[in-house]
Amino acid sequence: MEVRTALTCVLLGVCLLAGDAQHSVPDSVLNCCEGDVLFLLDSSGSVASYEFFRMVDFLKELLLPFSLGPDQVRVGLLQVGTEPHLEFSFDTYSSQDGLQAALGRSKQLKGNTNTVDALLMARNQVLKQGVPGGARPDLPRVLVWLTDGVDPGEVQEPMARLREEGVAVLVVSTGHGNYQVLREVVSPPAEEHLFFVDIDDINIISEDLRNAIIEIIRAERLQVNSVTSTTAQLEWRPVLAGTGYYDIQFGPIRSGQTGGPVSPGTSPGTGLGPFQRITRPGDASSAKLSGLRPDTTYTVTLTPKANLEFLNSLHTTFTTQPVNPPQPEVQTLSTVTVSESSTNSVRLSWGPLLPHLIQGYQLEYSALPTGPLRVVSISNRQNSTVLTGLQPDTQYLVTVSARQASGRERAMTVKVCTQEALSDLQLTTVGNESVQLRWKGSYDGLRGYWVTWERGQSQRSTLYLPPNRLSTTLNHVPSRARVCVSPVYRTARGEGLCCTA
């Protein structure tokens, strides 16, 4: 009894810490989503036992923040071996305790890598809508394939059928898989849905993969409609099933505030008044917000209150209508140009330069799709700057904002791309049908290099090299064969450089 009590306390502590940890997850995972996610786990003999358990632990961490249940997220696990094995279906577990325990009990199948039969089972039984244990109608479906990349089989056709039927396909490869095949099977955009990672480093993609899943199954649970100059209608998807109540706080946002919860009775801005607080019963799904100020941006926080369950707060912002038509805005920012792009920096310029009207400029930029946001402040007498410390072969979203003395702000957003971390590819003949490749790499964060070359009769060979290898020798390369080297980054492969033998 003493041991059992101690274990109960430990598990309770973990659950409480997990609940608190949700605030560190971007876009709040708790209560965020509604959809069915099936994990196709490579459990064949080509996967070492250590790698299999690393992938299982990765799934446990990846799924821990999600709210599970018939009106939330449902998870299934299908293992790939000689014969596919459905570990559990979507309607098996509706709590994190049950799901985490089931994942911990998963045992490796070994045998052959029969991915094609596993995909047929996934399509005809698990992901099919309207069948017992299958996916729910009119809700997003996601297939996440975790593979070591060894001999996946002819998966292109069954994956294409799944995508045509509305299933979003994501892939995590921990080995030397065929990049072209994996890129073909994932749902676009590939740079957000295809992940290459070493098994020992697999946890570094947890947040990116979780965010990619969230973007597909996110449920728009809090909306503001019928906005006038003094009122707005708040609507949400019920999550309390008639029990408990909803706590609603709303108030104006002062300049520079980004929204989020504020304690009732506090004033977020000079002269704007305190936040207001109202409550609605557990069976409600809407509320009217009144007493608002015209042409003002408000933040709203809705918190479901239940006795036995912790549910995350939901947030949104809206702007009331102005009483009078807005005055024409001065064109203080009309052009943003990009120049001098390198592997880790770009130069941006903007105009016109109007220091008598502008207090200063602010640049916000982040790597797409989910990179951290960086902010740079620029003097009102400067119309260009160089952004440094960027990742190679990466697309960035950059927003330039001009702050006027009147308090208004004008912004323009552009996408910029850095250059690849590969240059100066050289090919030298060293013997009969043998060539030596040399190149220069300029980025320590590379995962490695993919080398591809033609072997005649439409055949193509591939070779994966670690990031510290900047040369290799290829044998049996026919005359005039095309040889290419591409850098492999964390989430995708770069375009690379090519030569003709």
Side-chain angles (χ1 to χ4, degrees):
M1 289 297 294
E2 293 179 357
V3 174
R4 183 175 303 172
T5 302
L7 288 175
T8 302
C9 293
V10 171
L11 289 174
L12 178 59
V14 171
C15 293
L16 290 174
L17 288 174
D20 295 338
Q22 305 316 313
H23 300 292
S24 64
V25 178
D27 298 327
S28 293
V29 179
L30 274 178
N31 199 36
C32 73
C33 308
E34 188 173 16
D36 296 328
V37 184
L38 175 65
F39 289 88
L40 189 67
L41 178 62
D42 191 344
S43 183
S44 64
S46 67
V47 179
S49 298
Y50 164 76
E51 295 175 338
F52 176 80
F53 289 109
R54 284 283 295 168
M55 286 193 284
V56 171
D57 288 338
F58 168 71
L59 288 181
K60 294 171 70 174
E61 177 190 345
L62 176 75
L63 295 171
L64 181 61
F66 284 101
S67 297
L68 307 179
D71 295 321
Q72 305 275 354
V73 178
R74 301 194 309 172
V75 177
L77 178 62
L78 179 60
Q79 293 200 52
V80 177
T82 304
E83 296 290 338
H85 173 68
L86 182 60
E87 193 74 22
F88 51 83
S89 59
F90 290 136
D91 56 1
T92 305
Y93 298 106
S94 58
S95 70
Q96 278 292 342
D97 287 345
L99 176 63
Q100 295 291 322
L103 289 171
R105 292 192 300 267
S106 301
K107 296 186 181 300
Q108 189 173 4
L109 300 179
K110 299 292 186 178
N112 298 327
T113 310
N114 193 352
T115 310
V116 174
D117 281 358
L119 288 173
L120 292 177
M121 176 183 286
R123 177 172 177 260
N124 296 329
Q125 297 181 34
V126 188
L127 291 169
K128 190 172 183 178
Q129 295 175 323
V131 300
R136 292 168 289 183
D138 302 322
L139 287 178
R141 296 168 292 165
V142 181
L143 174 68
V144 182
W145 179 24
L146 287 87
T147 175
D148 66 349
V150 177
D151 192 21
E154 301 297 327
V155 298
Q156 293 93 326
E157 183 177 348
M159 286 290 196
R161 287 200 297 266
L162 285 171
R163 295 196 307 273
E164 291 170 359
E165 294 170 0
V167 178
V169 178
L170 287 72
V171 175
V172 176
S173 176
T174 63
H176 304 160
N178 189 314
Y179 173 80
Q180 294 299 336
V181 171
L182 298 182
R183 184 178 178 88
E184 288 175 12
V185 302
V186 299
S187 300
E191 57 269 18
E192 298 180 21
H193 296 159
L194 175 57
F195 300 82
F196 280 94
V197 64
D198 293 331
I199 189 64
D200 290 326
D201 300 325
I202 191 169
N203 293 95
I204 66 175
I205 68 168
S206 294
E207 184 174 345
D208 288 345
L209 179 58
R210 186 185 299 124
N211 287 338
I213 296 173
I214 289 174
E215 288 304 312
I216 299 171
I217 64 174
R218 184 190 302 278
E220 296 296 333
R221 299 180 183 271
L222 186 61
Q223 297 179 337
V224 180
N225 300 311
S226 305
V227 179
T228 69
S229 59
T230 58
T231 63
Q233 185 75 10
L234 185 67
E235 299 176 354
W236 62 89
R237 183 168 184 155
V239 295
L240 292 178
T243 61
Y245 66 96
Y246 295 97
D247 181 89
I248 304 169
Q249 299 180 46
F250 61 99
I253 302 176
R254 66 172 179 263
S255 178
Q257 184 179 335
T258 58
V262 176
S263 300
T266 61
S267 175
T270 304
L272 293 179
F275 265 43
Q276 301 182 55
R277 178 179 180 180
I278 60 176
T279 60
R280 289 294 181 267
D283 58 355
S285 61
S286 65
K288 185 176 183 179
L289 310 181
S290 57
L292 309 180
R293 295 178 178 270
D295 196 20
T296 302
T297 299
Y298 281 81
T299 180
V300 183
T301 300
L302 182 142
T303 305
K305 298 287 187 177
N307 293 330
L308 302 178
E309 185 178 5
F310 172 78
L311 295 173
N312 210 43
S313 297
L314 306 177
H315 311 284
T316 190
T317 59
F318 66 95
T319 302
T320 53
Q321 298 292 330
V323 175
N324 299 315
Q327 298 297 318
E329 186 177 356
V330 178
Q331 294 294 320
T332 53
L333 186 64
S334 59
T335 60
V336 176
T337 57
V338 182
S339 61
E340 301 179 22
S341 174
S342 68
T343 58
N344 58 8
S345 66
V346 294
R347 174 175 289 276
L348 279 92
S349 304
W350 56 88
L353 187 61
L354 303 172
H356 61 291
L357 296 178
I358 300 299
Q359 288 186 331
Y361 299 97
Q362 180 172 282
L363 273 67
E364 300 178 353
Y365 61 100
S366 63
L368 295 175
T370 57
L373 181 67
R374 304 177 187 177
V375 181
V376 178
S377 296
I378 305 294
S379 164
N380 63 344
R381 298 186 177 276
Q382 183 177 340
N383 67 342
S384 67
T385 191
V386 177
L387 303 181
T388 59
L390 309 181
Q391 298 178 7
D393 194 28
T394 301
Q395 190 176 55
Y396 283 81
L397 191 69
V398 183
T399 299
V400 181
S401 303
R403 300 188 304 274
Q404 301 180 30
S406 62
R408 290 185 175 273
E409 185 175 281
R410 181 172 177 82
M412 295 186 68
T413 299
V414 295
K415 289 182 179 180
V416 302
C417 296
T418 52
Q419 301 296 318
E420 282 199 329
L422 176 69
S423 62
D424 195 19
L425 176 63
Q426 298 181 8
L427 185 150
T428 305
T429 302
V430 294
N432 186 24
E433 293 191 340
S434 296
V435 296
Q436 185 180 59
L437 289 175
R438 293 182 181 275
W439 61 89
K440 294 180 180 179
S442 59
Y443 184 62
D444 294 337
L446 283 176
R447 299 298 185 191
Y449 298 95
W450 277 103
V451 182
T452 61
W453 69 97
E454 300 167 348
R455 302 194 69 167
Q457 298 180 351
S458 300
Q459 295 182 355
R460 181 181 294 270
S461 295
T462 62
L463 175 66
Y464 175 81
L465 296 175
N468 60 341
R469 286 281 300 276
L470 300 178
S471 66
T472 188
T473 300
L474 307 179
N475 299 316
H476 308 296
V477 180
S479 176
R480 299 187 180 278
R482 189 167 179 80
V483 183
C484 299
V485 180
S486 301
V488 178
Y489 304 109
R490 179 172 57 85
T491 59
R493 190 180 74 172
E495 292 293 334
L497 300 174
C498 297
C499 290
T500 300

